[in-house]
Amino acid sequence: MAQTTEAMSMKNCKLEWSTNGSSWSDASGVANAVTPDGGERDSEGTPTFSGDKRVLTTGKRALMTITAKAVYTENPADLVAAAQSAYDNDTDFYLRWSPKGGNSTNKMYTTDAGRIKKPPFPGGEVGSAAAILSEIVLETPGVTPSTVA
């Protein structure tokens, strides 16, 4: 197989958030990273008296954790403030991202309704000139891949 010419970085990624799964706000101007984790499917290998190999069965998928990093601002309309509100009020929160930028025919990944798992408080150290980043940690039952219409 020939080497790919379609590799990309996350430099054009579009990240959006929602509190209802239908009205979305663009967070690309503050978002810095998005990292999906989890979702492993349970499995079990059971030995039998006959045969050298185990019988493999599978079960449900584990919850997923989506961690987004965003520049901390005190703008009440930004991602960090929205995530803080969802955490404080224990309400639904959604994320979706498109690595190639969210244009028509680009791939997009949308979370199911989830909960913000920890408060996205700002932190940092005095010796750094870097922008303050907050981590938004969303726990969700799953992520659905799709294509931007």
Side-chain angles (χ1 to χ4, degrees):
M1 179 176 183
Q3 187 176 34
T4 185
T5 59
E6 297 180 28
M8 65 188 86
S9 70
M10 291 291 272
K11 72 178 185 177
N12 294 318
C13 184
K14 182 175 188 178
L15 179 79
E16 298 174 293
W17 62 270
S18 176
T19 57
N20 60 19
S22 59
S23 176
W24 295 88
S25 296
D26 189 352
S28 300
V30 294
N32 173 278
V34 59
T35 306
D37 190 31
E40 297 87 352
R41 185 175 297 281
D42 291 336
S43 64
E44 184 71 36
T46 305
T48 65
F49 291 126
S50 178
D52 189 39
K53 296 179 181 175
R54 292 172 181 259
V55 175
L56 177 66
T57 54
T58 58
K60 303 292 184 179
R61 296 178 190 177
L63 292 174
M64 294 189 72
T65 301
I66 311 301
T67 302
K69 291 184 181 178
V71 173
Y72 171 77
T73 73
E74 295 189 352
N75 181 339
D78 274 352
L79 171 59
V80 174
Q84 182 69 53
S85 177
Y87 174 80
D88 290 343
N89 297 301
D90 192 24
T91 55
D92 287 348
F93 202 79
Y94 303 76
L95 290 173
R96 71 180 184 188
W97 65 100
S98 178
K100 206 169 178 180
N103 299 309
S104 179
T105 73
N106 292 167
K107 297 291 185 187
M108 179 169 56
Y109 303 87
T110 305
T111 67
D112 295 338
R115 291 291 198 265
I116 300 298
K117 191 171 180 173
K118 69 177 195 172
F121 296 142
E125 52 187 79
V126 70
S128 174
I132 298 169
L133 294 177
S134 290
E135 276 194 346
I136 293 85
V137 179
L138 177 70
E139 195 165 61
T140 180
V143 173
T144 303
S146 63
T147 301
V148 178

